[in-house]
Amino acid sequence: MATLTDPRSPAVATSTRQWRAVAASMFAIAWGGNEFTPLLVMYKANGLAVTTVDLLLFHYVLGIVPALLIGGPLSDRYGRKPLMRPAPVIAATGSLLLACGADSVPMLSAGRILCGVALGLAMAVGSSWLEELSQPPFAPDHRSGKGARRSAISLTGGFAVGAGVAGVLAQWAPWPHSLAYLINVALCAVAAVRVSRATETVVPRADPRRLRDDLRIPVGSHPRFARVVLPVAAWLFASAAAAYAVMPTLMAPRVHGASIAFSALITVITLSCGFAIQSVARRIDRPGTARAAVVSLSLVVCGMVSAVFASHLLTMWATILTAVVLGAGYGIGMVAGLQEIERIARPDDLAGLTAVFYSVSYLGFGIPALLAWLHRSAGLGYPVMFAAGALAAAACLALVARDYVADDARR
């Protein structure tokens, strides 16, 4: 007879279908969210100003942050499914606008914002839902960090595959401005059906508390969140964007006839390194310490130093090395932050703290536009700006190292 932990058990099969449905939805939404990135060089080559295109990348954040900050706490109040079910539909709508608006900045902006709204819901609500479906009573056993790793892998895998497919199609396939987006529309339609069948994990509350009280996230009651999680979050997408949004633009004149494909390659390398290292992040992480966070920020510092030389030399191998190191720092940081939140959060603020973590991390997508503006208006060279980034990352590393051991582990 099959036991509860036997892979042949009906309970195990059901729990596997549940978390995979949510993971598939997160994967499809992340795919749509990042397929714009390798196409940055295409839009720039088609006549859009560099700063305009980089701002379109940042417009993504205008959808992500509100969806994160509002969607997470609302899902704690009303349940995961009501907030997550519309997310793939919103993502499909955003991709459709991007497919039809190649020559329209307002349509591109609206599409990016909608993709951001969908991703914000996937990251705050989907991540919390996936973590809950990965532990009892919805799963037969719970190993520490399993939900966080599944969430990080689902998102990073979607980011990498979406970027790779979009770059290849835009470089060599017909309809370069729309085909990749239309494929994502189809994927999101399938994901919407699957996620609607997943099991709810939160009982909607009927208490008389004001909605404003639910939206208040008690960050201040978690000192370790401020001292360890937020310094890591600040560099997650700042480092990734430096690797796959800034460096391919600098390299475009050196890559003859395949600048979009090269941009996609760097994006895939960055995110694939982040994806691959997440599978061993559990061995790096040690509960009660900030070891994973320290390793992540150390890699970010090394990656920024590498970017100083890569932006000066403008060679393929220096750019690839930078992508590898920054991608590894991003991957470990993602898991380190989510697992730290999983340890310190109460059930009623898990989604809220996850939302703050992702909101801070996504502000990093403003880095390419900021660097382009400083380069144009102040005449600063990219090597100098990357050197400043290395110093700032080192300061965050020092801050995390001061709180290396958690207070409860010292007792």
Side-chain angles (χ1 to χ4, degrees):
M1 183 176 68
T3 64
L4 185 60
T5 56
D6 190 327
R8 298 169 297 175
S9 167
V12 172
T14 299
S15 69
T16 299
R17 285 196 301 271
Q18 299 298 328
W19 75 258
R20 284 183 176 175
V22 177
S25 183
M26 294 170 66
F27 178 89
I29 292 169
W31 172 311
N34 207 41
E35 59 190 346
F36 182 84
T37 305
L39 308 186
L40 293 172
V41 293
M42 179 185 73
Y43 291 114
K44 292 171 184 176
N46 288 349
L48 289 180
V50 172
T51 306
T52 298
V53 176
D54 287 337
L55 282 173
L56 286 170
L57 179 68
F58 183 70
H59 284 175
Y60 190 41
V61 180
L62 301 180
I64 290 173
V65 172
L68 281 168
L69 295 178
I70 297 172
L74 282 179
S75 75
D76 287 336
R77 182 184 183 107
Y78 297 114
R80 310 303 185 204
K81 185 177 286 190
L83 275 296
M84 187 62 188
R85 187 162 24 184
V89 178
I90 296 171
T93 305
S95 288
L96 193 59
L97 286 174
L98 291 169
C100 300
D103 299 321
S104 169
V105 172
M107 285 186 70
L108 290 174
S109 178
R112 290 293 292 161
I113 291 172
L114 286 177
C115 287
V117 170
L119 186 61
L121 293 173
M123 297 182 98
V125 182
S127 292
S128 299
W129 199 3
L130 189 53
E131 287 180 19
E132 289 157 354
L133 288 171
S134 299
Q135 55 188 294
F138 305 101
D141 69 312
H142 175 54
R143 286 171 290 176
S144 177
K146 182 193 292 185
R149 288 191 296 276
R150 285 173 174 171
S151 175
I153 288 172
S154 299
L155 292 168
T156 305
F159 291 147
V161 175
V165 171
V168 170
L169 293 178
Q171 185 72 67
W172 291 297
W175 311 328
H177 296 91
S178 58
L179 183 57
Y181 298 125
L182 294 176
I183 290 173
N184 183 248
V185 171
L187 287 174
C188 288
V190 174
V193 174
R194 291 196 63 185
V195 79
S196 67
R197 299 171 180 170
T199 299
E200 179 61 78
T201 55
V202 172
V203 178
R205 294 204 305 261
D207 59 53
R209 289 195 309 174
R210 295 174 301 175
L211 180 60
R212 184 173 61 185
D213 295 331
D214 281 344
L215 298 178
R216 188 177 296 117
I217 301 163
V219 175
S221 64
H222 300 285
R224 195 161 175 82
F225 184 83
R227 298 171 190 166
V228 176
V229 176
L230 291 185
V232 172
W235 287 98
L236 286 183
F237 291 108
S239 58
Y244 60 61
V246 177
M247 287 307 305
T249 299
L250 299 179
M251 284 290 296
R254 304 291 184 98
V255 185
H256 302 291
S259 58
I260 302 173
F262 181 74
S263 179
L265 174 66
I266 296 302
T267 305
V268 170
I269 288 173
T270 304
L271 294 172
S272 294
C273 290
F275 180 88
I277 206 163
Q278 286 172 10
S279 64
V280 298
R282 179 172 56 88
R283 303 175 188 175
I284 297 171
D285 178 69
R286 178 173 294 171
T289 75
R291 184 162 76 168
V294 166
V295 172
S296 171
L297 288 171
S298 298
L299 287 168
V300 171
V301 172
C302 293
M304 285 294 172
V305 172
S306 177
V308 171
F309 293 99
S311 60
H312 174 70
L313 298 173
L314 293 180
T315 63
M316 181 179 297
W317 295 113
T319 302
I320 290 174
L321 175 63
T322 300
V324 169
V325 179
L326 289 176
Y330 154 80
I332 296 176
M334 179 73 78
V335 174
L338 290 173
Q339 291 195 164
E340 194 69 41
I341 290 170
E342 191 175 291
R343 292 178 190 124
I344 66 176
R346 301 186 302 269
D348 61 345
D349 60 18
L350 172 62
L353 290 178
T354 303
V356 175
F357 169 71
Y358 280 130
S359 296
V360 172
S361 70
Y362 264 98
L363 293 177
F365 271 123
I367 292 296
L370 176 63
L371 297 186
W373 180 79
L374 290 173
H375 180 67
R376 190 189 74 253
S377 62
L380 293 178
Y382 277 89
V384 172
M385 292 187 285
F386 281 130
L391 292 175
C396 289
L397 173 60
L399 178 64
V400 171
R402 285 181 56 192
D403 285 276
Y404 186 82
V405 179
D407 291 338
D408 55 354
R410 292 191 179 101
R411 299 189 186 102

